[in-house]
Structure formats: structure tokens, C-alpha cells
Amino acid sequence: MVILGIDPGLANTGWGIIEERAGEVRCRAYGCIQTSAGSDLPVRLRHIADDLTAVVERYRPQEAAIESIYFGANARSAIPTAHARGAALVAVSLAGVEVGEYTPMQIKQAVVGTGAADKGQVIFMVRNLLHLDHDPRPDHAADALACAVCHAHLRRTGVLSGGTYVQKRGNGYT
């Protein structure tokens, strides 16, 4: 199973491709789509959508996972992320790829074992879980790989338990 993970952001959208086989996950590729703050919003969103479309066409993921938005103390900063997330969802959706959505806490819990993990812990575990000989950089790409690993783990949990624990399209657990 090939899975695309996405860490959405207007300035930096991380993406990561993993392959899961017989319970083992391996990294196939990762990167970061950067947009210029000086560009108009529609241009930036088109750039994100076009680059993710190219990633989907190249690696042909069967499923995708995207991080949901964390509003925290500043809802204003969440709006540009929401725009980028929308562009990413459109690009993946147009390719017919099923999308699972996960909160930052769910991703950290699945990868590190605690929802309170810091960036360094996430990067360390992503490196080890994917058998990489280096830390995936930038952080946005590492977060996207973590999102894909979360999806693979929760998908496998669903298969083993006879149910599904993958949160899809924000509709809760089924």
C-alpha cells in the first residue's frame, strides 16, 4: 500500500510517500512545496495543488492522510493553513485518492506514543520507523511522513480488529 502524507501550510506544505508491506513501513520520497509570501493567494494555492498533483501522478498513492488544522490560541493563523489544506484536498480528490484526516495529537500519539511529543521526538521516531539513515528535513516533510505513518498504523489497527479507526473526511470514527 502506497500512502501520501500531507502537512498543509500556505508557506510550506510538506509531503511524504511511504509504502506499507506486511506491517513494515518504508519511505519512498518526501519534500516540501514552498510558496512566496509576495505572491497572490490564488497563485500560491495553484502552486500547492499543481505540485501535489505531480506527486500523486508520479507515486500513485492508493490512500492519503492529511493533518487537520490546529487553531490553538491564534485562529487567524489557521486561515492560511485552511486555504492550503483545501488546495491539497482538491488535488488529491481529483486523482480519486481516499483521504484520512488526523489531528496533530493523533499523529504524535501514533508515531511517538504520546500526543504531547515535540518536533524532535517526532523526527527521531519517523527516522527510526521508516529505517532512514538521516533525519527527514525540513520539519514539514517529517510531519507529512509522520501523518502517513499514522494512517498506516491506524489502518492496520482497523484491519486487525475487524473495524476501522481511520478518521475520514472529518466525519468521526466509523
Side-chain angles (χ1 to χ4, degrees), residues 44-162:
R44 295 173 84 178
L45 297 177
R46 174 74 184 259
H47 182 77
I48 292 167
D50 287 348
D51 282 14
L52 276 177
T53 297
V55 168
V56 169
E57 287 173 357
R58 179 170 183 184
Y59 296 102
R60 305 262 182 232
Q62 287 107 343
E63 295 181 4
I66 191 165
E67 186 174 311
S68 63
I69 298 170
Y70 175 71
F71 286 92
N74 189 357
R76 188 176 182 168
S77 66
I79 293 170
T81 302
H83 287 308
R85 191 171 180 279
L89 286 170
V90 167
V92 174
S93 175
L94 287 173
V97 178
E98 184 74 28
V99 179
E101 300 178 27
Y102 305 94
T103 66
M105 186 176 281
Q106 285 175 302
I107 295 167
K108 291 174 184 179
Q109 179 73 37
V111 173
V112 179
T114 175
D118 64 29
K119 286 239 185 242
Q121 292 171 307
V122 172
I123 291 169
F124 176 83
M125 288 305 297
V126 166
R127 176 182 178 159
N128 285 294
L129 290 169
L130 296 176
H131 310 284
L132 296 171
D133 61 0
H134 60 281
D135 288 345
R137 296 283 182 200
D139 291 354
H140 307 287
D143 289 345
L145 288 169
C147 190
V149 169
C150 171
H151 183 78
H153 286 181
L154 292 180
R155 186 179 176 283
R156 184 155 176 80
T157 299
V159 169
L160 292 174
S161 67

Side-chain angles (χ1 to χ4, degrees), residues 16-19 25-30 130-132 145:
I17 298 285
I18 67 166
E19 186 169 0
V25 287
R26 300 284 180 163
C27 178
R28 291 187 62 194
Y30 60 87
L130 296 176
H131 310 284
L132 296 171
L145 288 169

